[in-house]
Amino acid sequence: MNVGLTTQILPANEAAVAASARCLSQGGLVAFPTETVYGLGADAANPLAIARLYQAKCRPAFNPLIAHVGDIEAARRIARFDATALLLAQVFWPGPLTLVLPKTSDCAVADLATAGLDTIAVRVPAHPVAREILRAFGGPVVAPSANLSGHVSPTTAAHVQGDLDGRIDLIVDGGPVEVGVESSIVGCFDQPMLLRPGGLARSEIERVLGRTLKQLPEDGGGDSGQPLAPGMLASHYAPRTPVRLNATRIEPGEVVLAFGPASVPGMEAAAVIMNLSPRSNVVEAAAHLFGYLRTLDARGARGIAVMPVPHHGLGEAINDRLRRAAVGRE
Ligand code: TXA
Ligand code: MG
């Protein structure tokens, strides 16, 4: 176990960027802000560092990681782009989009990071601190969300600290993140497929492609038996408190994750109510989602009642995360 490390926390500045690059090149683990959620970075070419990363997160080793790079040129050294992938990269990078593509034959990313798949997930993040760390380090950095496996993704440095203090080397504190849900993942196969809804709305991607994205099959793997996105397993995002979706009344003992201006019966008796967006804005709701779930979970209530959240725009990603939170506790 990595327990027993001293975790340094530095405010995001030049010294922190230099310390991050040094730590990564020595095989260390560095949590840093991206525009979507905080990531836990390791040198993508260093399998030992990646093994430590899985260990630090208690993450099942079959779950492949996203390689973060500074620009399209760096991405093309590790992944093969077809015309569709190139179009999406040119329009949406840097930004909250991850592409799953075939690996190049001389791909420097360790197999452990891709869990043995011959495809690789790549993204160019937009957050200035992430970009500076990538530039200073000079190679691909794998970075899953910086939480313990099964916990919600961190949107502040304090969330990271709560989960990983003593298990990683460094946390770079760049303040709360902007988007609040993970990147959207598009698999560029025969037909482009949405593997994970996220911070870039499906409609935006489809508008650029001029076609609809294929949907991931419900069983998450298609006919081949090879999981396309093991992270899609329903157990991924799981608060300890039972989560009840689409609540139109609140039961005694429940705390409430609300959405919009309306009130529902039973709400007046609830001990805690946190509203994702009183003005019904799904972008604002996404930014609050993980932090509020975490706070509500910490109350040790009988249950978390979640009011309906519309499916448009980022609502799709929010509902996806909420569904996982509701089923993922076994
Ligand atoms: O916004 C994000 O994407 C954040 C920040 C830190 O960049 N990262 C993130 O990583 O969410 P993680 O490890 O929590 O989620 C990565 C997802 C998992 O669902 C994994 O199964 C999927 O990407 N994935 C990775 N490589 C894949 C591959 N070759 N094929 C299919 N899915 C893949
Ligand atoms: Mg994650």
Side-chain angles (χ1 to χ4, degrees), residues 34 36-39 59 63-66 68 98 100 117 119-121 123 143-145 182-183 185 195-196 228-231:
T34 81
T36 55
V37 298
Y38 272 72
R59 181 177 198 166
N63 209 349
L65 304 171
I66 299 171
H68 296 64
T98 293
V100 172
L117 300 174
T119 53
I120 186 164
R123 119 171 165 90
S145 49
E182 298 92 336
S183 59
I185 304 183
L195 298 178
R196 176 176 77 181
L228 288 167

Side-chain angles (χ1 to χ4, degrees), residues 26-84:
Q26 291 167 354
L29 302 179
V30 180
F32 59 87
T34 81
E35 73 279 25
T36 55
V37 298
Y38 272 72
L40 179 59
D43 177 355
N46 181 340
L48 258 182
I50 297 162
R52 289 181 63 232
L53 190 155
Y54 282 122
Q55 204 179 34
K57 274 187 62 95
C58 303
R59 181 177 198 166
F62 59 78
N63 209 349
L65 304 171
I66 299 171
H68 296 64
V69 292
D71 53 37
I72 296 184
E73 286 62 51
R76 294 186 89 162
R77 287 196 278 277
I78 58 175
R80 293 206 312 272
F81 283 68
D82 61 9
T84 302

Side-chain angles (χ1 to χ4, degrees), residues 33-34 69 90 122 144 162 221 253 256 261 283 308:
T34 81
V69 292
Q90 280 162 346
V122 217
V256 183
V283 178

Side-chain angles (χ1 to χ4, degrees), residues 109-135:
V109 174
D111 280 331
L112 183 57
T114 50
L117 300 174
D118 49 17
T119 53
I120 186 164
V122 217
R123 119 171 165 90
V124 177
H127 196 292
V129 174
R131 298 182 63 72
E132 280 172 39
I133 290 172
L134 288 170
R135 184 160 353 108

